[in-house]
Amino acid sequence: MSSGNEYYFEYMRELLGERYSDFVAAYNDKPRYKALRVNTRKITVEQFKRLFGTPLKQNALCGNSFYCDVKPSLDPLYHAGLYYMQEPSAAAAVAAFAPYIGERVLDLCAAPGGKATQAAEYMSGGVLFCNDPEYKRTKALAENIERLGVSNAVVTCNTAGDYRRAGFDGYFDTLIVDAPCSGGGITRYEDVPYSAEIVAGCAARQRAVIDDATELLCRGGYMLYSTCTFAREENEDVVRYISSKGFRTVDIPLADGAERGIAEPNARRIYPMNFDGEGHFYCVLQKTAGGEAERASARKKRATATFGRLKLDIAEINGRFVLPFDLPSLDGLNAVKIGTAVFDGGKDAAHALTHALTDEQVEAFGTVELGELAGEYIRGRQLEVCAPQRGMLIATVGGHALGLVKSAPTGDGTSALKNHYPKYLRV
């Protein structure tokens, strides 16, 4: 047993009983599985399969998740925001939660953004609050939100208590709590310390988060609670704690590879001996008590921006021009990123804007298809390409936006593309 943690395996033996030997066999013998989730905000699954080229094996727990061991940092399609790397089991929770996702969504522990960006795929508008209480984790969160083109998102660095003090009680109709946990479901590939004290400490912190988080949801709203551990104290026991606060569990479909919770039949557990992935737990609950609250809209000024043939309606919020969306007042919150920036600080388009535009808007802006040269682009190299027009253009791969280039003559009758891919994103 590779973990070497006697307490962990004794805990699992007691939890699983006669199935323990199957768990140990899977723990030691199965490979680590990796998967990508197609970003259906930008591309359909069938379009992606044709563009990706390599055959993909379906993840039974999520319709747009596929097993694939790819190096995303070297793949232009990843840089174009067409997919997100997400552990196969982790994709199951939001896929099951999809019918209950509304228009005022808060992912309370969102970094690095897997569940938040997945939830965004099921939203037709509204606002998505992506929060993480650790500031250093919000950088990756904001980058993923930007790359996947989620233009109606706000990234914050706060606690649930901060949200309450800012007046958000009863505001959200959808709440995601992917709770920090003891990590018992991922010990196969991460060196996770495990003890009775750690489990008890995590369970106590989860209940403390729940005390404030449940007040943020409106009556009739839905909550997704999830962890990547097997501990009952952090899973079913916390679900019962949530239920005691005026919630009922919701019976979601039992997908192939998942099983019902322990004494909580509406909860779902995923074990490595039942599924090609790691451990995960999730449960959907509906709030049956409490009230519902409105909130003043953020102060904004309407304006327009023109890039080539593209004319955009934009909004000025907190001194920055962004694509407009239904945003409430953010007073009292530490907002790290608000919506999608339109300008780069001057008059040129911001890199983030290229990922938030529709295909039609990208064409109206003006494009140059890079094809096989896309790999050179994400490395920051200058490209000698015959551009259809001069000035700032959107570089594309397979017709999908990668970022900005500026076309200029070289003096010998040809043209070169000055690479504007952000340095912090380059390979």
Side-chain angles (χ1 to χ4, degrees):
M1 297 176 189
S2 58
S3 169
N5 190 318
E6 293 182 4
Y7 174 80
Y8 176 77
F9 288 104
E10 284 302 315
Y11 187 100
M12 295 306 297
R13 184 194 301 274
E14 182 177 345
L15 184 76
L16 294 172
E18 62 183 19
R19 297 194 297 162
Y20 175 68
S21 60
D22 294 333
F23 170 79
V24 172
Y27 188 99
N28 288 324
D29 299 337
K30 275 192 169 183
R32 179 181 179 182
Y33 294 95
K34 297 180 181 180
L36 61 82
R37 192 191 75 242
V38 178
N39 179 15
T40 55
R41 289 177 65 95
K42 288 192 171 190
I43 191 171
T44 68
V45 168
E46 290 306 314
Q47 288 171 338
F48 179 81
K49 285 181 177 180
R50 289 194 296 269
L51 189 60
F52 193 67
T54 304
L56 296 168
K57 179 185 175 183
Q58 178 72 57
N59 175 357
L61 295 176
C62 179
N64 58 325
S65 174
F66 300 88
Y67 292 95
C68 184
D69 190 4
V70 65
K71 292 183 178 179
S73 64
L74 303 178
D75 186 3
L77 300 184
Y78 175 84
H79 287 257
L82 301 187
Y83 67 89
Y84 181 93
M85 296 301 295
Q86 187 175 32
E87 196 280 320
S89 299
V94 173
F97 189 50
Y100 309 100
I101 295 173
E103 299 299 310
R104 296 178 177 181
V105 181
L106 169 62
D107 186 343
L108 197 56
C109 313
K115 287 182 171 62
T117 56
Q118 191 176 5
E121 295 172 12
Y122 300 101
M123 297 177 67
S124 58
V127 59
L128 171 62
F129 281 77
C130 309
N131 178 76
D132 202 275
E134 293 187 37
Y135 183 78
K136 64 181 180 181
R137 290 167 57 86
T138 61
K139 180 176 183 292
L141 173 59
E143 288 179 4
N144 282 321
I145 290 291
E146 179 178 292
R147 181 175 59 83
L148 272 68
V150 184
S151 60
N152 61 329
V154 178
V155 176
T156 62
C157 181
N158 290 101
T159 64
D162 293 336
Y163 269 86
R164 293 200 66 193
R165 286 184 286 275
F168 279 89
D169 277 10
Y171 176 77
F172 295 100
D173 58 23
T174 311
L175 179 64
I176 299 172
V177 181
D178 189 33
C181 66
S182 58
I186 58 173
T187 59
R188 292 200 319 133
Y189 63 86
E190 285 194 20
D191 186 15
V192 178
Y194 208 82
S195 67
E197 292 75 21
I198 289 174
V199 170
C202 287
R205 285 191 291 274
Q206 290 155 0
R207 291 179 183 230
V209 170
I210 292 301
D211 285 339
D212 283 322
T214 52
E215 297 298 326
L216 300 172
L217 198 62
C218 69
R219 182 173 58 196
Y222 289 91
M223 173 181 180
L224 173 65
Y225 177 78
S226 62
T227 73
C228 58
T229 191
F230 300 120
R232 289 184 63 172
E233 297 90 333
E234 302 176 65
N235 293 337
E236 288 89 354
D237 289 357
V238 175
V239 167
R240 282 191 283 275
Y241 184 69
I242 298 170
S243 298
S244 72
K245 294 179 169 293
F247 283 73
R248 69 172 186 91
T249 60
V250 177
D251 189 11
I252 54 180
L254 184 61
D256 186 25
E259 63 181 61
R260 295 189 182 275
I262 301 171
E264 282 290 346
N266 289 346
R268 300 290 180 263
R269 282 177 167 260
I270 302 173
Y271 294 101
M273 68 277 199
N274 298 336
F275 180 72
D276 290 340
E278 306 307 318
H280 215 70
F281 173 90
Y282 54 98
C283 186
V284 176
L285 303 99
Q286 184 181 32
K287 189 172 184 179
T288 58
E292 185 174 346
E294 294 296 324
R295 187 173 176 85
S297 296
R299 294 180 293 275
K300 64 183 79 170
K301 295 180 181 178
R302 298 287 182 174
T304 58
T306 302
F307 304 101
R309 293 183 293 105
L310 176 63
K311 187 174 183 180
L312 287 174
D313 292 325
I314 62 175
E316 184 181 7
I317 302 175
N318 290 6
R320 298 182 65 208
F321 286 101
V322 300
L323 294 180
F325 62 108
D326 185 17
L327 183 67
S329 170
L330 302 178
D331 291 348
L333 296 181
N334 178 23
V336 177
K337 170 180 166 59
I338 301 172
T340 297
V342 175
F343 301 109
D344 65 354
K347 293 184 178 180
D348 288 333
H351 170 76
L353 178 65
T354 67
H355 287 280
L357 298 177
T358 66
D359 290 344
E360 293 76 13
Q361 289 172 328
V362 169
E363 283 298 321
F365 188 107
T367 67
V368 56
E369 171 64 28
L370 297 184
E372 295 182 357
L373 291 176
E376 298 297 297
Y377 175 76
I378 62 176
R379 288 168 171 80
R381 295 168 184 163
Q382 181 170 296
L383 306 171
E384 293 188 6
V385 177
C386 183
Q389 62 194 71
R390 303 293 187 217
M392 198 68 77
L393 302 170
I394 294 178
T396 61
V397 56
H400 297 275
L402 264 175
L404 293 162
V405 292
K406 191 169 186 178
S407 174
T410 60
D412 60 359
T414 63
S415 60
L417 299 178
K418 184 177 181 182
N419 196 322
H420 281 251
Y421 199 55
K423 292 182 179 179
Y424 66 90
L425 295 176
R426 295 177 182 177
V427 177

